[in-house]
Amino acid sequence: MSFRPHLLAASLALSLAACTSVPLNHLAPRAPTAQTLNTGGTMPAEQAALHFDHADLHFSVDTANQSIDASATLSFTAESAIDVLLLDLDRNLSISGIELDGHSLPAKAWSNPDGRLRITLPATLDAGGKLQATIRYGGEPHVAKHAPWDGGFVWSHTADGQPWVASAVQGEGCDLFWPCIDQPQGEPDLVDTFVTVPRALAAPGNGVLIGVTDEGDKRTWHWRTKHPDTYAIAINVGPFEVLKADYASRYGNRIPMEFWYLRGHEAQAKQLFAGFPRMLDFFEQEIGPYPFGDEKMGVVETPHLGMEHQTLNAYGNNYRKDGYGFDRLLQHEFAHEWFGNQLTNADWDDMWLHESFGTYMQPLYSQYLNGDMDYFSWLRELRLMLRNRHPIVSGNSKTEEQVYDETAGPGQDIYNKGALMLHSLRQLIGDQAFFASIRQLVYSRPDPKPGSFKPRYANTNDYLSIVDQVSGHKLGWFFDVYLRDAALPRLVQRRDGDTLTLRWVTEHGKPFPMPLDVQVGDTVHTLPMNDGTGQLRVPAGSLLIIDPRSKVLRDQPHVEAFQQWTEQHRKRK
Ligand SMILES: [Zn+2]
């Protein structure tokens, strides 16, 4: 997955080297097809015709053989007539049988040549009709090479040799281990997960624990969650202990908190867990109610770095500290409960809605905890990582792979550049409008309370309309340059005697009336730059600082010079 998920790019990539466990070398029978490895893109009409009501997923996990024995009972309502049920499932997981509304289908009624499971219905299902399919399958799920960047199952072991298993499939999608609609908009309304493991191990899951049943030396953990992201459904197995507490929300509800940590990590786990309430309070104060308060805020320790699995965030940062006073990985993944899980991008082309906001939450939390020095220090870290080679938003439907492809897509800019853009937006429209725009984006309403909203989809234009509405200004020009151009706006300066002329230049000559602060001597002047230019009297020898409070994201040749130098230095080494 090159630089896939959620991470804070380079700084965190370094930390991978220190991970304690490594997936076992294991060869899947065949590599998954391109169809399976992709997630999202244009949705086939047969899938767009379905409403996904319920998924009932059973997994028996064989840690010794690194395989699963599984069945999935999926319930749909047809929104328009269909003759086939089209699902996504890795063809390496062999199907032993399919039932439709309780009746076994002959093997000729279905095929899965390339990861697209096509089930021919005995009769046309009319609009409004309901359908329940049970698919029995199993085998060796695709093994991640370098999770979470390259997704799949991670079959690992603890230091004392006990199985420690996790899945992470954001880049490839749910079809790596269950039959699903592998699209951002393929979320089922409700998912029940049953995970059967040896009794000595635990299997924490998404949502609420409904019950645990024992049979012989096996234990089945039954979890239930509403509206999970398709890639959020996760398998986690290990010798876990759990820390639990209730969080008293400012909104009056109580939110169960759970941290499933590896036996032996108790002291560090307790320290991390002690930070959960402050983190929750930050998000509830700045953004709004924790979206899944009636389920839980959950975290599980994983043998990979991390992933935003809804109500059970994957945490594999080894309790690392970095001087900011909080765990950046945990805070970033947790931010996705709002930006990713509550608000889901309509298409992966809009993925900046997950990652730019998700990344901006770390500097914002730094400011909340420790003030401006930490906030700007964070932003500065991000600034050095911008690439500016491809626009953040293309305007066309994309697979997740295409977004991360640095040769043709925005790649890491959806994190760092987008976060810096949000900083500039905040300076431009002020805190009140900025946070109001986020609330409207996340909850579809200005006044969210627990129970008054549901997970939603949004695209880039939805957010742009919201910003116009809450700020009272037409700000399309702002996003046209930052999201739809690759290059950053450039400020050209000219001196004629005492007169300083400033002019914005954009990649495609688009207008960019971005106001600009200029400090001359002791005075800060704000130039409106209405037509993209501004003039100011600057007597010779005066102190002159352009944008003294670092409000505007723009091209800075010294940053590029540093990036080039670093790159050359790296190559020489
Ligand atoms: Zn992220």
Side-chain angles (χ1 to χ4, degrees), residues 245-262:
D246 272 1
Y247 170 76
S249 164
R250 61 177 59 231
Y251 292 95
N253 55 325
R254 297 192 78 79
I255 302 172
M257 301 182 294
E258 296 181 6
F259 181 23
W260 297 78
Y261 65 95
L262 277 189

Side-chain angles (χ1 to χ4, degrees), residues 5 10 15 98-99 174 177 193 219 227 237 258 280 285 288 321 335 372 391 425 462 494 530:
S15 64
I98 295 181
E99 290 153 30
C174 41
F177 70 101
T193 314
R219 175 166 288 175
H227 299 284
V237 182
E258 296 181 6
L280 255 168
Q285 180 158 56
K321 292 196 188 303
D372 283 354
L425 178 65
D462 294 331
R494 206 183 68 225
N530 282 332

Side-chain angles (χ1 to χ4, degrees), residues 5-7 308 332-333 336 354-355 358-359 404 415:
H6 347 105
L7 296 180
E308 62 263 32
H332 179 89
E333 304 306 339
H336 284 306
H354 293 190
E355 297 303 348
T359 300
Y404 275 99
Y415 297 77

Side-chain angles (χ1 to χ4, degrees), residues 106-127:
K108 65 175 181 356
W110 47 267
S111 66
N112 187 16
D114 61 352
R116 193 144 261 172
L117 172 58
R118 196 178 180 85
I119 303 169
T120 306
L121 305 182
T124 299
L125 185 70
D126 293 329

